[in-house]
């Protein structure tokens, strides 16, 4: 295995991607909750299913639902009333951002929830004529809470990679000592030589040939726990 400290820029980019994914998931989850409510209103209560022309259909006396793909290859779910009129639709745009729309009996839009530039949520309300009369936005917070100082180390192994987070506030001596091993490439070429299920994984002291003489270590440190 190899262990390398992650620079702050790389960590910030990974955290930013994770936060962006979480925001999108939160909006999509909220849209799904609304969609479930719309499903109850439309009345798609259980019904026969069939697969036609690459579309998954649910239909019955109280309405129906259709899951298909757009020309851009993105999924689109629509709910229909008993007359076959689309009353709600949920889909993803070409960039994978969710969009939820509610329609009236004449197929005119009444409300739409979507993500704009920068993943900012937008809610648009329409009048009876289908004209947008109100737009609500939820801007990103201008002042984010300061993120605590993070120290991340990435381990690269033959069975996959993983990242660990160190806590220099709670264990400064231990973290400093461990990072000295990382920065001097002490762990490169070592193995996990002892694994006990549901208890512990031990490594870093032996190379692949299990030389009976472990690699030389630094001087002991104080036990901070």
């Amino acid at each position: 295995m190899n262990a390398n400290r992650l620079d702050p820029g790389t960590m910030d980019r990974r955290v930013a991607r994770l936060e962006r994914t979480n925001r999108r998931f939160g909006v999509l989850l909220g849209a799904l909750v609304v969609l479930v409510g719309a499903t109850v209103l439309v009345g798609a209560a259980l019904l026969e299913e069939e697969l036609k022309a690459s579309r998954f259909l649910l239909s019955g006396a109280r309405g129906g639902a259709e899951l298909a793909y757009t020309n851009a290859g993105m999924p689109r779910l629509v709910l229909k009333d008993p007359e076959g009129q689309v009353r709600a639709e949920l889909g993803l745009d070409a960039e994978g951002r969710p969009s939820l729309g509610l329609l009236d009996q004449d197929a005119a839009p009444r409300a739409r929830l979507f993500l704009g530039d920068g993943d900012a949520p937008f809610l648009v309300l329409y009048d009876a004529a289908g004209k947008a009369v109100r737009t609500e936005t939820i801007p990103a917070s201008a002042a984010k809470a300061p993120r605590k100082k993070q120290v991340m180390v990435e381990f690269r192994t033959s069975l996959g990679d993983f990242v660990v987070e160190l806590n220099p506030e709670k264990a400064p001596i231990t973290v400093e000592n461990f990072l000295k091993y990382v920065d001097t490439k002490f762990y490169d070429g070592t193995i996990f030589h002892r694994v006990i299920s549901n208890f512990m994984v031990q490594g870093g002291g032996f190379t692949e040939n299990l030389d009976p003489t472990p690699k030389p270590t630094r001087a002991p440190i104080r036990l901070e726990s």
Side-chain angles (χ1 to χ4, degrees), residues 46-205:
L46 182 79
L47 311 172
E48 61 180 321
E49 18 179 293
E50 56 182 337
L51 192 61
K52 295 180 180 178
S54 300
R55 297 179 304 171
F56 181 73
L57 304 175
L58 291 173
S59 60
R62 291 190 169 185
E66 176 182 329
L67 176 62
Y69 288 86
T70 65
N71 293 333
M74 305 305 288
R76 178 173 178 264
L77 176 66
V78 299
L79 297 179
K80 300 180 179 181
D81 61 19
E83 286 71 40
Q85 192 70 46
V86 175
R87 300 299 302 277
E89 56 182 3
L90 173 65
L92 300 177
D93 64 16
E95 297 182 1
R97 294 180 296 194
S99 174
L100 172 67
L102 299 179
L103 297 81
D104 63 17
Q105 293 180 346
D106 297 323
R110 299 310 304 270
R112 181 171 175 243
L113 175 67
F114 64 97
L115 293 182
D117 295 336
D119 290 340
F122 282 80
L123 175 64
V124 182
L125 301 179
Y126 302 85
D127 61 16
K131 180 181 178 181
V133 294
R134 184 175 179 181
T135 300
E136 297 285 347
T137 62
I138 307 176
S141 176
K144 294 184 177 180
R147 185 182 297 126
K148 68 176 183 179
K149 182 180 179 181
Q150 293 176 305
V151 180
M152 314 297 289
V153 174
E154 181 179 39
F155 285 81
R156 296 181 177 178
T157 80
S158 58
L159 296 180
D161 303 339
F162 62 92
V163 175
V164 298
E165 178 181 357
L166 311 180
N167 192 333
E169 295 180 358
K170 294 296 182 70
I173 298 175
T174 302
V175 169
E176 180 183 6
N177 185 65
F178 175 69
L179 290 178
K180 288 180 180 178
Y181 281 105
V182 172
D183 293 339
T184 58
K185 306 299 181 182
F186 177 88
Y187 298 111
D188 290 7
T190 62
I191 63 172
F192 291 104
H193 61 273
R194 187 181 183 210
V195 178
I196 301 178
S197 179
N198 297 320
F199 175 57
M200 57 90 75
V201 175
Q202 187 173 353

